[in-house]
């Protein structure tokens, strides 16, 4: 694993130091990941789909650790979409228990790593025990100052935009501002992500080349990075590869 290539060690020569410095400057501030392929991972091993979800959950810890190591500020993980309710009840039930398990097992470690847990999505509509485990973790990690681990759960980008439009409409009705005052910033300020920067790098595992209703507004100028690797197998090396590739991209935002 070439993990220590980036900012933290190995300042042996001037040339190296310069490269390291450049790398450090181009570390993405916000990485968003569509963690896809748990079911296929299990299927390939002749296991039930839920075995893939469990393995996928364990992988989150590994990726949080490396993201923290690279001083990524925000890691947004797509854990459950508004469309995932279409799945069989037994699979949904299992998926709803995973956050409880995850936090039970890993919260002490996340505290040690100074990770701050947040969510985007309709957490209020989750089963009560799932919601309360998440709320407890948010509260407990509230004053941590390291990586923001932002879990997208019961998240759908189109729903989020509809909600934004509705609350802006209400504010217009109440005379808080006029229609002409509505700008792109107004929409953004009414999304779940109002307090976050947009993702610089958006990763999807499992070979699917689509966004599946994830951060449609926020990823307007994100760099996209796809891999065939199934989420439970996505490791530190590939994470680093994605960052290295990102560092070589030229972000133009429509300019030249
Ligand atoms: C991603 O893995 C996890 C969730 C969507 C909850 P999948 O369950 O979608 O795995 P595949 O795509 O069927 O392999
Ligand atoms: C996207 O994966 C949602 C999550 C990873 C949570 P899906 O497996 O639900 O996406 P589609 O159905 O293949 O587009
Ligand atoms: Mg999938």
């Amino acid at each position: 694993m070439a993990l220590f290539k980036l900012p933290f060690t190995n300042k042996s020569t001037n040339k190296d130091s310069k490269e390291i410095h450049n790398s450090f400057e181009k570390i993405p501030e916000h990485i968003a990941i569509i963690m896809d392929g748990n079911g296929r991972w299990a299927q390939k091993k002749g296991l039930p789909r839920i075995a893939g979800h469990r393995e996928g959950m364990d992988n989150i810890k590994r990726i949080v650790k490396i993201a923290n190591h690279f001083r990524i500020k925000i890691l947004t993980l797509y854990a459950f979409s508004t469309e995932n309710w279409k799945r069989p009840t037994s699979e949904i039930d299992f998926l709803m228990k995973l956050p409880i398990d995850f936090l039970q097992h890993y919260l002490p470690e996340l505290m040690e790593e100074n990770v701050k847990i947040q969510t985007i999505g309709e957490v209020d509509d989750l089963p009560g025990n799932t919601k309360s485990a998440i709320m407890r973790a948010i509260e407990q990690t509230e004053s941590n100052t390291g990586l923001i681990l932002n879990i997208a759960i019961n998240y759908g980008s189109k729903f989020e935009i509809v909600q934004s439009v509705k609350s802006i409409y209400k504010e217009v009705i109440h005379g808080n501002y006029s229609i002409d005052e509505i700008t792109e910033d107004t929409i953004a300020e009414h999304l779940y992500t109002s307090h976050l920067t947009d993702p610089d790098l958006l990763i999807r595992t499992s070979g699917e080349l689509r966004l599946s209703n994830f951060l449609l507004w926020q990823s307007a100028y994100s760099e996209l990075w796809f891999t065939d690797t199934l989420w439970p197998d996505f490791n530190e090396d590939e994470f680093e590869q994605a960052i290295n590739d990102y560092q070589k991209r030229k972000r133009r935002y429509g300019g030249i």
Side-chain angles (χ1 to χ4, degrees):
M1 190 165 68
L3 199 102
F4 298 106
K5 204 168 61 198
L6 280 161
F8 318 106
T9 56
N10 187 7
K11 293 190 174 154
S12 52
T13 68
N14 283 341
K15 186 175 167 286
D16 279 353
S17 302
K18 188 161 181 284
E19 274 170 15
I20 288 160
H21 182 65
N22 286 344
S23 298
F24 186 58
E25 283 191 344
K26 285 188 89 180
I27 289 280
E29 180 173 319
H30 182 174
I31 297 183
I33 307 184
I34 303 176
M35 310 182 288
D36 198 14
N38 292 347
R40 278 164 283 169
W41 182 91
Q43 221 164 9
K44 266 175 55 183
K45 292 190 150 42
L47 299 168
R49 289 179 57 84
I50 57 169
H53 291 314
R54 178 157 295 285
E55 197 71 19
M57 178 192 89
D58 284 338
N59 198 35
I60 291 177
K61 199 189 67 177
R62 166 158 78 168
I63 298 307
V64 164
K65 224 175 177 141
I66 179 91
N68 216 1
H69 188 87
F70 279 134
R71 319 263 167 90
I72 306 299
K73 290 210 174 83
I74 309 158
L75 180 69
T76 297
L77 300 179
Y78 203 7
F80 192 89
S81 77
T82 46
E83 287 71 34
N84 287 147
W85 296 108
K86 292 177 193 161
R87 297 188 178 203
T89 317
S90 56
E91 181 168 339
I92 292 173
D93 288 348
F94 188 84
L95 287 169
M96 288 300 140
K97 286 201 187 88
L98 279 185
I100 305 172
D101 266 25
F102 178 77
L103 294 167
Q104 226 162 35
H105 279 96
Y106 299 135
L107 198 53
E109 244 176 276
L110 294 174
M111 284 299 292
E112 239 170 71
E113 294 236 354
N114 198 21
V115 169
K116 183 181 170 101
I117 296 174
Q118 296 184 345
T119 59
I120 52 173
E122 288 302 294
V123 175
D124 281 345
D125 294 341
L126 297 174
N129 50 357
T130 310
K131 184 186 165 187
S132 51
I134 292 171
M135 296 315 287
R136 263 200 313 275
I138 291 174
E139 216 173 286
Q140 210 174 316
T141 61
E142 202 176 1
S143 37
N144 288 351
T145 52
L147 175 80
I148 292 176
L149 174 58
N150 184 36
I151 308 286
I153 185 161
N154 197 14
Y155 174 86
S157 197
K158 288 188 174 180
F159 180 86
E160 177 186 34
I161 292 168
V162 170
Q163 288 308 108
S164 168
V165 170
K166 281 183 182 171
S167 41
I168 293 166
Y169 181 69
K170 276 187 203 149
E171 288 178 44
V172 170
I173 287 178
H174 287 118
N176 292 358
Y177 40 73
S178 72
I179 289 188
D180 289 339
E181 285 171 320
I182 297 173
T183 63
E184 290 180 10
D185 285 344
T186 319
I187 307 265
E189 280 158 16
H190 288 79
L191 300 175
Y192 300 121
T193 49
S194 56
H195 58 298
L196 302 172
T197 54
D198 287 340
D200 300 292
L201 172 63
L202 193 156
I203 296 172
R204 181 170 190 150
T205 60
S206 92
E208 308 297 355
L209 306 178
R210 54 177 171 263
L211 294 178
S212 301
N213 204 12
F214 187 49
L215 301 175
L216 301 181
W217 176 280
Q218 299 88 337
S219 66
Y221 271 104
S222 301
E223 294 298 324
L224 307 180
W225 196 87
F226 296 98
T227 172
D228 286 339
T229 304
L230 304 171
W231 171 251
D233 292 330
F234 182 80
N235 62 16
E236 297 93 336
D237 286 342
E238 256 194 306
F239 188 83
E240 181 171 352
Q241 187 59 54
I243 293 177
N244 287 344
D245 289 349
Y246 169 86
Q247 290 171 326
K248 291 183 207 128
R249 305 266 182 101
K250 235 189 158 55
R251 302 183 79 181
R252 282 186 289 274
Y253 300 98
I256 51 170

